[in-house]
Amino acid sequence: MTSFNSDNPASIVSVTDRTLKIELPQAATALHFLGDSAGFVGVEDSVSFAAVSGEVSTHDIHGGGILCTVSDGKRIVTGGDDGKLVTVDASGATETIATDAKRRWIDNVALHPDGAIAWSAGKTAFVRPTKGDEKTLDVASTVGGLAFAPKGLRLAVAHYNGVTLWFPNMAAKPEVLEWKGSHLGVTFSDDNKFLVTTMHEAALHGWRLADNRHMRMTGYPSRVRSMAWTADGKHLATSGADTVIVWPFVTKDGPMGKEPAMLAPLKAKVTCVACHPKSDILAAGYSNGMVLMVRMQDGAEILVRRDDDAPVSALGWNAKGSLLGFASENGDAGLLPL
Amino acid sequence: MSDVAASKIPVTVLTGYLGAGKTTLLNRILSENHGKKYAVIVNEFGEIGIDNDLIIGADEEVFEMNNGCVCCTVRGDLVRIIDGLMKRKGKFDAIILETTGLADPAPVAQTFFVDEDVRDKTTLDAVVTVADARWLSDRLKDAPEAKNQIAFADVIVLNKTDLVSKPELAEVEARIRGINPYAKLHRTERCQVALNDVLDRKAFDLDRILEIEPEFLGESDGHDHDHDHEHDHHDHGHDHAHGHGQGGLKHYHDEDMKSLSLKTEKPLDANKFMPWLQALVATDGQSILRSKGILSFKDDDERYVFQGVHMMIEGDHQREWKADEPRLSKLVFIGRELPEQKIRDGFEKCIA
């Protein structure tokens, strides 16, 4: 397969006829697979699970906007502007994990592989371990993002002017990684060697955790809202440009002094990225509604969804890598069995 | 206006010094039978009685953009809140943002200039400043925040007029005009003002920068000063700001905050004007709170309009000059310690 000009869909390999249309009751803000069930998290109130049969079941989980969501493949956890933190499984069984005392917005949520949950409201980060008491940490400004480190119970709390690294079960003063500006999303590399944030400015910032050396990743035309680590954990794919920007974390220096790969250029902005869980393939959604599958090695592209002007708002793979799902801001959604 | 622009949610910024009556005005807006739904962003969450479905508590987090330039501060919390609120679009028609009494309106306004997501989804409608008729004169002396709020305003609700005498009212109005002669001014008791005087003003809409004329007292609010004065002032244009005690009306220079208006009937050279304006706001943007202009360029049959907040300027061609319309270029700057002579000289050099 070769790379074709994807601005001209007629010339590209297409699997659009193999996608299954899913009817959602509303626009989706995120997609998490629980097994083969595609959980489309709505912009408000509900989550809809879609099966490969096309059957959709919708469950009310919030009384208002859904602001943040995360999944470990077994359950989806969401935070809402109703001040609630809710978990839902594939059967639609829901449980309210926490309700903010002041009914503040739950802005961020993170899940630890062992089942611990972290969330934030305003300047306060909360951690509920699998055993033991709930812990809280107040940072200097509103929490922009949360991520658990892959090892140990350690939480990264992104905020204005940096990231606080907190061991909730230890009395030690949390470590602060400083960098001027507002830090929003945050993610650890799988090997626990790097920490990367998306910033309010159109840039990423990173730290090499061994020595807290800074890594500036700039050049984006707009803010990065979606990042995904590749299956081998050695590359970070990002939205925000008119190509998928993929930063290498192969060596001990990470992306320092290296150019990122720029894949799948279109005359539209990448809004969502999702990496295949096993192969060297990623999916990208664009501001014009197009969805492409891209082979990272050579940039070869396959058209999954044609453009229709509504930006792609949710994108995801199931854990086996046999299903790709997507949804756009106008509420259209689909599944592609591979 | 395109459909996309028409679907943007208008945001009204409600500012004013402590105790001026912001919450009273907010409650008036919400309780009136207008059939519209508002999302309200307040700074003191849950502490004041506001009866509305959608209330969001804000933290007024002012962030510096571009490596700490004070002219590029934005409200980071606003970016986050508007992003979250947009998930519920369709559930409300407009947003009202109340700032704290000590807030500088500039970071709020700048958020609407700089942040692409905020720009895509919302539009800044107007900065409405509630002022206390009894205490404003004192606050203008001792509180720079109060002065900023007056200087920044598109609409000024001069409240508690029942607590002052007529001469006192004339005094405080003259002080306001000494700082900002361009805002719409409404005298109120208990913030009784018509909703369409504070909402849906489109004060930051380039298409609405039709005229830049000082707003004179008593134009439509049933005030008791005579028509001759008004006429007189219109004829004098910007000179008004510099003449004291004309026809019995008080005029004040504010020592540090004032407005400067420039006018010429000669066409401007766009190739000189645009670099000059950009250089001016780059060097003196910190002093310039607001700027607006309607411009006539040489060999250009369209009016060019611009407006700005500190260092941020946006401008566009608006429409063709009408056949019977005088092709005047007018600029207004409101600011603190404006380098007046430098601005006047620079402007002169832009004449084609």
Side-chain angles (χ1 to χ4, degrees), chain A residues 222-294:
Chain A
S222 66
R223 190 180 306 161
V224 179
R225 302 186 74 123
S226 176
M227 345 183 238
W229 292 96
T230 53
D232 63 4
K234 296 291 182 197
H235 295 85
L236 183 65
T238 59
S239 70
D242 56 1
T243 72
V244 182
I245 306 286
V246 186
W247 296 96
F249 288 78
V250 180
T251 67
K252 67 174 171 49
D253 289 336
M256 283 184 274
K258 297 187 182 70
E259 290 292 317
M262 291 180 271
L263 303 175
L266 279 193
K267 287 187 184 120
K269 197 171 73 182
V270 178
T271 54
C272 293
V273 289
C275 294
H276 190 278
K278 291 173 177 165
S279 317
D280 172 40
I281 291 171
L282 62 80
Y286 292 80
S287 57
N288 64 0
M290 205 180 269
V291 176
L292 296 175
M293 281 193 293
V294 187

Side-chain angles (χ1 to χ4, degrees), chain B residues 260-277:
Chain B
L260 171 61
S261 89
L262 306 166
K263 189 158 72 170
T264 179
E265 289 164 20
K266 298 171 194 155
L268 298 170
D269 182 342
N271 293 326
K272 288 180 186 163
F273 179 85
M274 299 309 266
W276 168 72
L277 181 66

